[in-house]
Amino acid sequence: MQIQDLPYADPGVPDARSGPRFLWWLFRNQLGGQLKSLAWGLLHFASVAALPFCVGVAVQAVVDRSGARLALAGGLLALACAGNAVGGTFLHRTAITNWITSAARVQQLLARKAAQLGSALTRRVAAGEVVAVSTGDVEKIGWFVEAWSRFTAALVTIVLVCVGLLVYQPALGVVVAVGLPVLALAVLPLLPRATRRADTQREKAGRATELASDTVAGLRVLRGIGGEELFLDRYRRASQEVRHAAVRSARMWSLISAIQVLLPGLLLIAVVWHGVQLARQGRITVGELVTVYSSVMVLTYPLRHFEEIAMAYSFSRPSAERAAGVLSLERATDTAGSRAAEAPSGDLYDPETGLLASTGRLTAVVCGDPDAAGRLAERLGGHPSQEGTAVLLDGVPLDELPLDSARTAVLVQDKDPVLLSGSLRELLDVPASGAVEPREALAAAQCDDVLAALAQGSLDAADPMDARITERGRSLSGGQRQRLALARSLITDPEVLVLDEPTSAVDSHTEARIAQGVRELRAERTTVVFTSSPLLLDRADRVVFLHDGEVAAVGAHRELVRTEPRYRAVVTRETEDEAALNGAADLTDVLAELEEIEEKA
């Protein structure tokens, strides 16, 4: 896999049982790139390690006044330099390729998992944690995966050099062969503490990211209650904790780096001292001493990869654990789909509650518990957050359909829909049947004032459709964002559209017009609206009242208001005592007020 071939057609099925297993799975799936990196790494490190031998031969040739051997040493030196240049260039190229492709694979896996889980993801994992995993953690995982082949090449080179020195000059080679493993293993006792400090730093950074994400998401509310400074102080404290943790972690890694510099220096001193004694005794030549000394000095370069791989693993292991934790999450029901891809058309039925949404009709659902209503809305869309009996569409269980087919057939608009940044045209460019034009959807959702506001705020956009929408639509009011999201849902024109409180942030007159617009635009389609608004309920073909998780009453809105006290209490916001005292007089007033609002709308 090359960078230009990204994204992967299929990133594969990860082994998410643990962080190390996930790293090993990534390595196995990049075996070709790892072998290329290993080959170029061997050429690079072997060429670097050959330089001291060439220099030693040249020095000895000068001492012996041998022109032929000097010329041979020059040729070998040129060959080693060429190998060093070529190997280093392509090692860097393959290493970066491995890094980017492994990170891209993880990002694709995370994106696929987010698409599968939908809104259930942020209920099971904090939003800040998801952001941290898909950004910083992805880079750390890619770092370790690509560093492994370079470390392997460095390790093989060190072993070969030690063996070569033992053969070339046993007296000094023994010192090097004993000293190098000590250098490589000297930092191992410090790694657990360094890893713990790195984990602490990452944990605190994740908390700070989550706090920042929550603060930005609720900035409008914070400004309304004057809580900006309170949350800013919290973030300051969280960021300072991250800074202190980072300093403590850096101190430990600085100590490891210092040891990696100190010990090779001590080994060089030992080699020079022992070599000088051997040279005085005539047991080795000057060229051999220069060769061994230069080899030890050059080997400090591949030895640095021992520190790098330890650091990469220390940072990537917890990152891989978090990524594996997200990737191991599963939907409460089957996601693969045991049936062939199809688009069933018919009644939508939930066996758990007894809710039935008839084909081609607008069904309103009233539930006193907003959280229960949200869970039911998700279940109707075929992606429940809890295990249970599957919802049936035309008698077909939604969890037996492939996920794409289920979501094509049933679209659920959450009560807090998100608007992506970009132009309005891009926002409304969504997979759709083509039967509903954007202007029709915008008109049904009563977006005329939204278009005017966007055009006024984007002076460089002659067409409101080209006006820019900021991140999450923060420049718009809650009602404007809600109406644009409704228009986007209407454009898709699914067989079944489930709307959870689609007009909770708009005024009553606009709400009445939206109710009429949705009813007309969805005349031939099945629509389910979760609401307690009398205006929407009065426009519905059928109203279903849920109590304690089951259908308690079914009928027209005005009929249920008269005959079902529990329904009336939810719709009119009455308490039980108020309902008993007010009785039919309040009911008459409510209906009269409703008719007055309808006439004005």
Side-chain angles (χ1 to χ4, degrees), residues 64 71 113 268 298 570:
D64 297 339
K113 181 59 66 174
L268 277 175
V298 169
V570 173

Side-chain angles (χ1 to χ4, degrees), residues 327-553:
L327 295 175
S328 64
L329 297 176
E330 296 292 343
R331 284 162 46 89
T333 55
D334 179 27
T335 60
S338 54
R339 291 176 179 260
E342 57 178 305
S345 175
D347 294 344
L348 185 68
Y349 177 67
D350 177 32
E352 285 196 16
T353 61
L355 171 64
L356 175 66
S358 302
T359 307
R361 303 185 70 183
L362 174 59
T363 302
V365 180
V366 177
C367 182
D369 183 356
D371 293 333
R375 291 192 295 270
L376 175 56
E378 291 173 352
R379 192 162 68 248
L380 293 179
H383 37 92
S385 57
Q386 300 174 352
E387 293 186 2
T389 307
V391 171
L392 305 178
L393 179 60
D394 195 23
V396 178
L398 284 180
D399 63 358
E400 293 184 5
L401 291 174
L403 189 58
D404 291 343
S405 298
R407 288 185 174 174
T408 300
V410 183
L411 174 66
V412 178
Q413 177 179 302
D414 190 73
K415 68 175 64 178
D416 297 313
V418 175
L419 301 184
L420 302 179
S421 60
S423 68
L424 179 58
R425 193 184 308 279
E426 293 170 340
L427 175 70
L428 301 180
D429 184 17
V430 292
S433 66
V436 179
E437 295 293 329
R439 57 181 179 80
E440 296 176 322
L442 290 169
Q446 301 299 309
C447 293
D448 292 342
D449 64 317
V450 184
L451 297 178
L454 289 174
Q456 185 177 4
S458 302
L459 300 179
D460 57 340
D463 187 347
M465 296 295 289
D466 296 324
R468 303 293 297 178
I469 298 175
T470 58
E471 180 191 6
R472 292 178 173 265
R474 299 190 193 283
S475 60
L476 302 173
S477 68
Q480 290 173 329
R481 289 197 302 271
Q482 203 169 54
R483 282 177 281 162
L484 283 180
L486 175 59
R488 180 178 58 187
S489 299
L490 293 173
I491 288 174
T492 61
D493 190 37
E495 185 65 33
V496 179
L497 176 61
V498 180
L499 304 172
D500 188 4
E501 295 289 352
T503 58
S504 59
V506 301
D507 61 82
S508 58
H509 298 292
T510 304
E511 187 177 30
R513 293 193 295 269
I514 290 175
Q516 185 62 32
V518 171
R519 180 183 176 86
E520 293 175 355
L521 194 63
R522 299 278 304 171
E524 302 298 327
R525 295 291 197 181
T526 304
T527 307
V528 180
V529 181
F530 285 81
T531 182
S532 59
S533 167
L535 291 169
L536 284 177
L537 295 170
D538 197 50
R539 289 289 199 280
D541 297 315
R542 188 166 178 262
V543 178
V544 179
F545 174 58
L546 298 179
H547 184 71
D548 291 336
E550 295 182 353
V551 173

Side-chain angles (χ1 to χ4, degrees), residues 39-63:
W40 289 117
L42 287 174
L43 175 61
H44 173 60
F45 289 122
S47 299
V48 171
L51 291 175
F53 174 75
C54 299
V55 172
V57 171
V59 170
Q60 192 60 41
V62 171
V63 173

Side-chain angles (χ1 to χ4, degrees), residues 160-217:
L160 292 177
V161 169
C162 289
V163 173
L165 289 178
L166 284 172
V167 175
Y168 178 71
Q169 179 44 251
L172 285 176
V174 171
V175 177
V176 177
V178 172
L180 284 178
V182 173
L183 296 183
L185 302 177
V187 298
L188 286 182
L190 300 176
L191 289 181
R193 182 178 298 180
T195 301
R196 287 194 298 270
R197 292 190 179 185
D199 289 347
T200 302
Q201 176 191 351
R202 171 57 183 78
E203 180 182 354
K204 292 182 180 298
R207 290 177 182 173
T209 302
E210 181 178 349
L211 179 60
S213 177
D214 291 342
T215 301
V216 172

